[in-house]
Amino acid sequence: MKKSFLFLLVICTGLIAVSAEPKFKKITLDDMFRSEGVGIGDFNKDGKNDVVVGDYWYAAPDWKLREIRKPRKETRGGYTEAFAVYPDDYNRDGWLDVMVIPFHGKSAKWYENPKNEGERHWKEHEAFKGTGNETRLYLDLFGDGKKVFLMGVEGKIAWVPVPEVSKINELWPHNLIGDEPKPAHKFAHGLGASDVNGDGLLDVTWGGGWWAQPKNKSEKSGKWTYHAKQIVKDGVADMYHLDADGDGLNDVLCTSAHGTGIYWCKQKEDGSFETNPFHKGLIRETHSANYVDVNGDGRKDLVTGRRFFAHGYRPSLAGQASELYWFDLKMTKGKAPEFVPHKIDDQSGVGAQFLTEDLNGDEKIDVVVSNRKGVFLFLQE
C-alpha cells in the first residue's frame, strides 16, 4: 500500500510539474515589417499598456494603429529606422515619450508625446550622434535607479545619461569608457552590462574583453580599466553574467548573432574564458536575448529566437520558420549548466531588440517582438 501511495505521489508530482510549464497566447498586432525594436507603455493615460515600434504605436485594448512619425514604405525588404525602441518620460512632463535608435551609425532620436492632442506626429529631437554596436542597452548601469544608454557613440563605447529638463532639447552628453574602436563600430556585434569580477557592480563586456566599473563614483564618468580577455570569438548579441557551475566566478551567457546556438563562457581562475556552445543545431541568427525569470521559480531563464532574414529578404522563403524559445537553466555545482528549450512559437522569432515584461499586470512575464514577420504579443496564461 505504501509503495502504491508513493508511486501515485510521484506521478501526481510529475503531472503538476508538467502543467506548471508556461503557456503563451499569441496575438498578431501587425503582419507587416514595422521595426526591429519594440517598447511598451501607457502613452494615452488610459491605464493600459500600449505597444510602440518607432513609426507607430498600437493603442490597447483594440491595438489601433497610430502614427508617431512619417512611416516607412510598407515592405518586408530594406531596413527599418527603428532597431531599438525605449519609452520613458524624458522631458518629465508626466507623459511617456519614445527614444528610437535607428539604422546603425545614425543619430538616436526621441519623440515627444503630444499628450492626446489629436493625431498629429510627435515632435522629433536629436539626442546623440553616431550610434554603434548592433546591441544597444538602456538600463540602470550604476544601481542608482536612473537608467542610462549604453552603446557605441561616435566611434567609442559610452554611456549616455538623460540630461536635466533644461537641457533635454540639446545634444545629450556622453561618457566614453574606453578607446577600443572595434566594439563601438556601427556593425559590431555583442555588448553587455555584466558583473564579471563579482564586486556587485555592472561591468561592460564585448566579445574581446571587458571594462571594470570603477568603485569610486567620481571616476565613473572617466575611462574604465580595460581587460583584454577574449570572452567569445563569434559575433554575439546581449551578454549576461551568472555563476553557472558554482565555482564562485561569474561566467558570461550569450548567443550567436549570425551563427547558431548559445554560449556559456566559463570564467577561469586566471581571468580567461572557456567558450562552451550549446544547441548548435536548434536556433540561429539570435540577434537579441533577454535574461529573465519566465516561469516564476526564482531563477532567471534565457529568452531568444531567430531574427528572421537579418540581412535582406527573399519572398520565396517567407514561410520559413522563425523560432522563439525560452531556455530553462538547470545549474548544478561543479557541472556544466543545462539549457532546456521550450518553444513559444515558430513564426515570429525576435528582432534586434525585444521585450520580456509583464504587459497586462498579471505578474507573469510576457514577450513582445517586432521583425520582418510582423509585430506580436505573447501573453503568458
Side-chain angles (χ1 to χ4, degrees):
M1 187 68 180
K2 288 183 178 179
K3 288 184 178 179
S4 299
F5 175 77
L6 289 173
F7 177 75
L8 288 171
L9 181 62
V10 170
I11 293 296
C12 291
T13 303
L15 288 173
I16 291 170
V18 170
S19 65
E21 179 182 334
K23 302 296 182 183
F24 293 86
K25 177 184 178 182
K26 182 179 181 179
I27 301 173
T28 301
L29 299 191
D30 207 321
D31 61 4
M32 288 304 300
F33 174 32
R34 300 300 185 188
S35 71
E36 293 278 1
V38 65
I40 64 171
D42 184 4
F43 300 108
N44 55 2
K45 288 197 171 186
D46 66 352
K48 300 179 181 66
N49 272 330
D50 312 302
V51 174
V52 59
V53 292
D55 292 350
Y56 299 99
W57 66 283
Y58 303 83
D62 57 359
W63 309 114
K64 180 182 176 182
L65 190 66
R66 298 181 179 180
E67 292 184 8
I68 286 180
R69 61 188 184 185
K70 183 180 179 180
R72 70 190 291 274
K73 182 181 178 181
E74 288 198 356
T75 174
R76 294 199 195 280
Y79 289 97
T80 177
E81 290 296 335
F83 272 79
V85 178
Y86 302 107
D88 208 340
D89 182 8
Y90 295 110
N91 60 0
R92 281 78 127 191
D93 66 353
W95 292 77
L96 281 180
D97 311 303
V98 178
M99 174 70 78
V100 179
I101 311 298
F103 189 78
H104 323 308
K106 295 185 178 181
S107 294
K109 295 178 180 179
W110 71 276
Y111 294 83
E112 186 176 347
N113 192 319
K115 307 176 184 177
N116 285 341
E117 294 177 4
E119 294 292 326
R120 64 185 175 88
H121 286 168
W122 298 22
K123 187 175 181 180
E124 180 182 276
H125 304 268
E126 185 178 37
F128 49 96
K129 298 178 180 290
T131 57
N133 199 302
E134 293 193 22
T135 300
R136 292 88 162 197
L137 304 173
Y138 181 49
L139 77 166
D140 184 1
L141 182 62
F142 303 112
D144 58 3
K146 298 178 181 179
K147 287 186 176 182
V148 301
F149 292 92
L150 178 64
M151 65 187 75
V153 181
E154 297 183 357
K156 303 290 175 62
I157 293 295
W159 60 273
V160 183
V162 179
E164 297 298 324
V165 174
S166 61
K167 298 183 178 180
I168 198 70
N169 294 326
E170 302 173 10
L171 280 178
W172 296 9
H174 59 277
N175 300 273
L176 302 181
I177 69 169
D179 292 321
E180 294 71 17
K182 286 185 178 179
H185 187 271
K186 64 181 181 179
F187 296 124
H189 287 74
L191 192 66
S194 307
D195 180 10
V196 178
N197 55 11
D199 64 356
L201 302 175
L202 291 177
D203 310 305
V204 175
T205 58
W206 72 290
W210 59 282
W211 294 267
Q213 183 178 150
K215 292 182 173 60
N216 191 325
K217 185 177 180 179
S218 64
E219 298 176 358
K220 296 183 189 298
S221 59
K223 292 180 181 177
W224 299 10
T225 301
Y226 184 64
H227 300 266
K229 299 284 188 178
Q230 187 83 46
I231 298 174
V232 58
K233 290 184 179 180
D234 193 6
V236 297
D238 303 85
M239 306 175 77
Y240 300 98
H241 72 269
L242 74 165
D243 181 6
D245 56 359
D247 65 356
L249 298 173
N250 279 343
D251 312 311
V252 174
L253 178 63
C254 53
T255 62
S256 177
H258 284 289
T260 62
I262 297 168
Y263 290 112
W264 167 48
C265 305
K266 173 180 169 57
Q267 186 173 180
K268 298 193 287 188
E269 292 288 346
D270 63 359
S272 64
F273 289 84
E274 173 188 287
T275 304
N276 300 275
F278 293 82
H279 295 300
K280 292 292 286 184
L282 182 65
I283 194 168
R284 60 195 172 100
E285 294 182 306
T286 51
H287 262 75
S288 54
N290 292 348
Y291 189 43
V292 63
D293 183 5
V294 174
N295 57 359
D297 65 355
R299 295 181 295 108
K300 288 186 177 181
D301 312 293
L302 185 70
V303 186
T304 189
R306 181 186 176 191
R307 180 183 163 210
F308 181 68
F309 283 139
H311 290 169
Y313 175 69
R314 285 175 286 173
S316 62
L317 301 178
Q320 277 191 350
S322 185
E323 302 90 349
L324 175 64
Y325 279 95
W326 72 274
F327 292 85
D328 190 0
L329 270 64
K330 307 289 188 182
M331 295 179 284
T332 304
K333 188 172 183 178
K335 295 183 178 180
E338 294 181 64
F339 299 86
V340 181
H342 300 268
K343 186 186 290 186
I344 299 174
D345 187 58
D346 64 2
Q347 284 296 328
S348 54
V350 299
Q353 171 255 340
F354 71 105
L355 282 185
T356 46
E357 294 185 16
D358 178 9
L359 176 75
N360 55 9
D362 64 358
E363 299 184 353
K364 295 179 181 178
I365 290 295
D366 307 306
V367 185
V368 191
V369 301
S370 180
N371 63 11
R372 290 188 195 272
K373 287 280 189 181
V375 185
F376 308 97
L377 304 182
F378 294 91
L379 300 180
Q380 188 173 162
E381 297 181 319

